[in-house]
Amino acid sequence: MKMRNSSIDGVRGRFFDFSKSVGQQSNFEGTVRYVEDGLLLLKEGHIEWFGDWSEGREQVPEGARIHEYPDKVIVPGFIDCHIHFPQAEIIAAYGEQLLEWLNNYAFPAEKQYGDKSYSMEMAEVFVAELLRNGTTTAAVFCTVHQQSAEALFAAAQRVNMRVIAGKVMMDRDAPPGLLDTPATAYDDSRLLIEKYHNQGRLLYAVTPRFAPTSTPEQLAVAGRLVQEYPNLYMQTHLSENIAEIEWVQELFPDRESYLDVYEHYGLTGPRSIFGHCIHLEDAEWTGLFDTDSVIAFCPTSNLFLGSGLFDLERARREDVRVGMATDVGGGTSFSILSSLSEAYKVMQLQRQKFSAFEAFYMATLGGAEALSLDHLLGNFNVGKEADFVVLDPAATVLQAKRSEKSKNIADLLFALMVLGDDRTVFRTYVDGRLVHRRE
Ligand code: GUN
Ligand code: ZN
């Protein structure tokens, strides 16, 4: 990635985004914005002007660097609300459900990140892979090792990418080499918070892996950090797998539910992101709503690990924010487009609908709302951070044929998401700079 001086003044092409929040009713009327020949003007990594080319052309200064994409579709950068940096290399590991998969694949892979140079090498691979897939904002789990978070933050900072990340806290039920203590988890997390939280576009998430791998003392420490630093994020896993839920009941017999464990230690709230939430009880749905907590929907992972089908319609009814997520390496693709496609199938199996507008909303402005970043990014409104993706409706011979037949923009977007993957991502821009160019 050699991007530093590739900043540009604007982009001309076909744009699609959502101009404002659709609200709980998912009302897309007046929010869908489709500009067939549009212009996006940029200044210092932000959007300075957006509209029709015919209106905007007059403002383009002589000699301005304008990238033109007449046959493409330009959308805001994709947002991945839950992904594991140290699992990239064990993506697609055969044959297990969650707890066995953790022991047999995830933990051995994560051990390697005790090695600083390995962490640094993989952080570059990881960030490049996000950008290749059009993901410009991500909430990321690192390993228990402080240097894994250092490596990731440094790699993200090099392209000035918006990343929320944290060192995993884990002080029991994991192999040696992957354990911290309540005290070291507190000290190491604090150090990282002081160094990275709100530095440029970086944000910190307190990251207890999940209730089974943290003692009550460690969960208390996590809650203390969240209290001590305003606007920190908290990310963890919740109610993904039946055996996991039973284990939590055994470990925390005094708590009313899995969510209640987190609630008890002060880990719920508007910046708390809970991965999966497949098997929630009624009281847990209420608890998520009452605390304005957020769910990360991880369809490829939920199918791959056989965890179950997430009930997105219920989440809408309960008015709980949901963001799209890959959950690599339990998830099987870095591509948010592929994740939307699998989400569609998860919904089909439950007789629920998932339109292209809903899907692209979740991947962009909806994701920004889930991460409380919608005042900064998620669409092309003036003043927003200039992160966007140029999609190629003719990325493959088949896609080209299908795109030719599309009846309208909704149909084109639907085919893009169902057939799409990293090949569909022609260019990725972060902070107004070109950071990925498909070969
Ligand atoms: N629960 C606790 N840790 C993990 C993880 O790494 N991946 C998934 N999918 N679930 C988890
Ligand atoms: Zn996960």
Side-chain angles (χ1 to χ4, degrees), residues 82 84 87 90 98-99 101-102 106-107 110 141 168 170 208-213 236-238 240-241 244 258 262 275-276 298 301-302 305 307 326-331:
H82 180 121
H84 297 259
Q87 295 176 6
I90 44 109
L98 176 63
L99 300 178
W101 177 86
L102 283 173
F107 290 159
E110 293 188 17
F141 286 62
V168 154
M170 185 155 63
R209 180 178 211 114
F210 67 157
T213 48
T236 189
H237 297 84
L238 172 64
E240 175 178 4
N241 166 287
E244 169 210 16
Y258 194 163
Y262 295 129
H276 307 293
C298 312
S301 169
N302 299 158
L305 295 177
S307 303
T326 62
D327 192 34
V328 163

Side-chain angles (χ1 to χ4, degrees), residues 255-295:
R255 302 273 63 90
E256 277 170 21
S257 67
Y258 194 163
L259 180 67
D260 187 45
V261 175
Y262 295 129
E263 172 113 53
H264 180 78
Y265 293 102
L267 297 172
T268 50
R271 285 170 189 255
S272 295
I273 310 157
F274 293 97
H276 307 293
C277 300
I278 305 282
H279 308 284
L280 296 179
E281 296 164 10
D282 291 350
E284 292 176 297
W285 280 110
T286 309
L288 289 172
F289 171 80
D290 287 345
T291 56
D292 197 14
S293 298
V294 174
I295 296 172

Side-chain angles (χ1 to χ4, degrees), residues 124-416:
E124 296 298 332
V125 171
F126 180 79
V127 167
E129 203 58 33
L130 290 175
L131 300 174
R132 179 201 321 288
N133 284 278
T135 297
T136 56
T137 299
V140 185
F141 286 62
C142 301
T143 65
V144 72
H145 315 100
Q146 186 181 320
Q147 64 262 30
S148 71
E150 297 257 7
L152 179 74
F153 280 130
Q157 208 157 30
R158 269 193 278 287
V159 284
N160 208 18
M161 180 179 182
R162 208 168 254 296
V163 157
I164 302 169
K167 164 208 127 56
V168 154
M169 302 166 88
M170 185 155 63
D171 69 342
R172 65 168 163 182
D173 297 321
L178 279 183
L179 291 169
D180 55 8
T181 68
T184 61
Y186 179 80
D187 292 344
D188 292 353
S189 302
R190 256 193 87 145
L191 205 138
L192 290 164
I193 292 163
E194 300 275 353
K195 191 163 169 190
Y196 295 107
H197 187 54
N198 279 322
Q199 289 307 305
R201 303 182 78 195
L202 306 179
L203 294 159
Y204 196 82
V206 173
T207 309
R209 180 178 211 114
F210 67 157
T213 48
S214 285
T215 58
E217 294 71 32
Q218 187 170 67
L219 292 175
V221 154
R224 192 170 137 204
L225 282 167
V226 170
Q227 269 210 330
E228 283 175 350
Y229 292 88
N231 294 338
L232 274 187
Y233 289 82
M234 195 293 302
Q235 58 184 353
T236 189
H237 297 84
L238 172 64
S239 200
E240 175 178 4
N241 166 287
I242 301 292
E244 169 210 16
I245 296 166
E246 288 169 357
W247 193 17
V248 172
Q249 279 164 352
E250 278 167 34
L251 291 170
F252 296 91
D254 296 338
R255 302 273 63 90
E256 277 170 21
S257 67
Y258 194 163
L259 180 67
D260 187 45
V261 175
Y262 295 129
E263 172 113 53
H264 180 78
Y265 293 102
L267 297 172
T268 50
R271 285 170 189 255
S272 295
I273 310 157
F274 293 97
H276 307 293
C277 300
I278 305 282
H279 308 284
L280 296 179
E281 296 164 10
D282 291 350
E284 292 176 297
W285 280 110
T286 309
L288 289 172
F289 171 80
D290 287 345
T291 56
D292 197 14
S293 298
V294 174
I295 296 172
F297 174 20
C298 312
T300 74
S301 169
N302 299 158
L303 295 170
F304 184 69
L305 295 177
S307 303
L309 304 177
F310 176 65
D311 191 345
L312 183 58
E313 232 167 55
R314 175 96 192 244
R316 289 199 191 111
R317 271 203 316 278
E318 304 283 353
D319 197 8
V320 175
R321 282 175 294 157
V322 181
M324 187 55 58
T326 62
D327 192 34
V328 163
T332 50
S333 172
F334 273 78
S335 170
I336 287 290
L337 290 171
S338 301
S339 302
L340 296 175
S341 173
E342 297 310 286
Y344 176 82
K345 296 165 196 169
V346 165
M347 308 279 285
Q348 277 281 47
L349 285 167
Q350 300 173 93
R351 299 289 174 266
Q352 298 182 13
K353 297 281 187 205
F354 193 50
S355 71
F357 286 172
E358 288 170 284
F360 275 80
Y361 187 81
M362 272 187 84
T364 60
L365 188 57
E369 289 177 329
L371 299 183
S372 300
L373 294 173
D374 47 307
H375 58 300
L376 296 174
L377 50 85
N379 63 11
F380 297 125
N381 286 359
V382 170
K384 293 259 177 123
E385 296 172 351
D387 297 340
F388 52 92
V389 186
V390 182
L391 300 178
D392 184 0
T396 65
V397 172
L398 181 65
Q399 266 195 348
K401 291 287 172 209
R402 174 62 179 84
S403 297
E404 271 172 34
K405 291 274 182 272
S406 55
K407 298 189 283 275
N408 50 41
I409 185 66
D411 188 32
L412 179 70
L413 290 171
F414 186 70
L416 269 177

